[in-house]
């Protein structure tokens, strides 16, 4: 990968968790491939075994569960800088329990899961990075989100979401934002109306 803008971007993403050295940056970038996907592209269909992990460069992706009746539940919205994929499916080689779909036209860096896992197992930087990544995203941030859904009033959650992601409403359908916040689209409509009036 020779594009300096891409190299800087990748370095910034890894540096958020743990400062990456030049050798480790070169190691990861030689395995990354930039792919372009139009809006509504399915990155990972339900029930398929995940073989890739992605680093979102431009665009947005939503993860969806489906119940036995076919009703969809939106799990997460991923924006630029997010790592996207079904790690459980890739680790266990089992069918993914959710799908990943591009909400907008998206660009992402793709890496084979087995290659990334080999880097974690052989390169001290990536092992330490992975620990930092898991602790931040799947312990601290996950716990904060779960507590917020139970304790925080919906208006407060919505305002915090907008502060963290300015202009998100022009990019992401409101029903996905509502689902991500753990409220109904009707509740979100009322909140937005109340905030507009006040």
């Amino acid at each position: 990968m020779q594009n300096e803008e891409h190299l800087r971007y990748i370095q910034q993403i890894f540096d958020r968790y743990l400062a990456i050295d030049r050798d480790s940056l070169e190691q990861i970038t030689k395995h990354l491939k930039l792919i372009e996907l139009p809006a509504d592209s399915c990155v990972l269909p339900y029930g398929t075994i995940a073989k890739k992990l992605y680093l979102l460069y431009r665009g947005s992706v939503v993860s969806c569960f489906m119940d036995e009746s076919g009703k969809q539940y939106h799990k997460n919205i991923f924006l630029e800088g997010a790592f996207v994929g079904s790690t459980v499916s890739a680790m266990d080689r089992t069918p993914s329990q959710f799908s990943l779909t591009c909400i907008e036209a998206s660009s992402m860096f793709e890496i084979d899961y087995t290659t990334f896992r080999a880097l974690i197992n052989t390169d001290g930087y990536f092992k330490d990075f992975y620990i930092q990544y898991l602790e931040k995203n799947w312990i601290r941030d996950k716990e904060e989100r779960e507590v917020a859904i139970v304790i925080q009033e919906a208006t407060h959650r919505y305002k915090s979401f907008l502060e963290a992601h300015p202009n998100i409403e022009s990019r992401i359908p409101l029903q996905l934002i509502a689902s991500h916040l753990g409220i109904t689209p009707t509740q979100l409509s009322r909140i937005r109306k109340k905030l507009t009036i006040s």
Side-chain angles (χ1 to χ4, degrees), residues 8-19:
R8 282 194 301 274
Y9 182 81
I10 292 161
Q11 180 172 356
Q12 287 171 2
I13 299 306
F14 280 92
D15 281 351
R16 285 190 320 201
Y17 301 95
L18 185 66

Side-chain angles (χ1 to χ4, degrees), residues 118-131:
L119 286 173
I120 293 169
N121 292 335
T122 59
D123 185 305
Y125 169 80
F126 288 106
K127 179 189 271 185
D128 292 341
F129 157 80
Y130 198 52
I131 292 167

Side-chain angles (χ1 to χ4, degrees), residues 25-187:
L25 182 61
E26 288 175 6
Q27 276 292 319
I28 191 75
T29 53
K30 72 182 180 183
H31 296 295
L32 293 172
K33 175 186 173 186
L34 184 65
I35 61 170
E36 308 277 347
L37 296 170
D40 299 321
S41 296
C42 190
V43 181
L44 177 67
Y46 291 104
T48 58
I49 296 174
K51 296 179 181 174
K52 310 278 188 184
L53 294 177
Y54 305 91
L55 172 56
L56 195 51
Y57 180 54
R58 299 270 189 267
S60 52
V61 173
V62 65
S63 61
C64 296
F65 289 104
M66 188 181 291
D67 68 16
E68 292 177 2
S69 69
K71 184 176 179 182
Q72 284 191 341
Y73 297 90
H74 301 102
K75 181 184 176 213
N76 281 313
I77 296 170
F78 299 97
L79 302 170
E80 289 87 356
F83 289 90
V84 180
S86 176
T87 308
V88 171
S89 172
M91 277 194 314
D92 297 343
R93 293 186 173 88
T94 54
S96 175
Q97 297 183 33
F98 58 85
S99 66
L100 294 166
T101 304
C102 295
I103 303 170
E104 309 168 282
S106 300
S107 306
M108 54 191 83
F109 296 102
E110 172 188 86
I111 186 169
D112 286 320
Y113 175 77
T114 51
T115 301
F116 185 61
R117 194 76 207 185
L119 286 173
I120 293 169
N121 292 335
T122 59
D123 185 305
Y125 169 80
F126 288 106
K127 179 189 271 185
D128 292 341
F129 157 80
Y130 198 52
I131 292 167
Q132 295 291 322
Y133 170 80
L134 291 175
E135 286 181 349
K136 181 182 186 313
N137 290 281
W138 299 108
I139 298 175
R140 292 190 181 97
D141 290 358
K142 183 175 183 286
E143 183 175 292
E144 285 176 15
R145 185 167 175 236
E146 288 170 346
V147 168
I149 285 175
V150 173
I151 300 215
Q152 287 181 357
E153 195 265 329
T155 301
H156 180 74
R157 291 202 308 274
Y158 174 64
K159 288 169 78 175
S160 296
F161 185 69
L162 292 185
E163 286 169 14
H165 308 290
N167 305 316
I168 193 77
E169 292 176 307
S170 64
R171 300 177 55 191
I172 309 295
L174 292 177
Q175 69 268 22
L176 296 185
I177 293 174
S179 181
H180 181 75
L181 295 173
I183 59 178
T184 67
T186 303
Q187 285 175 294

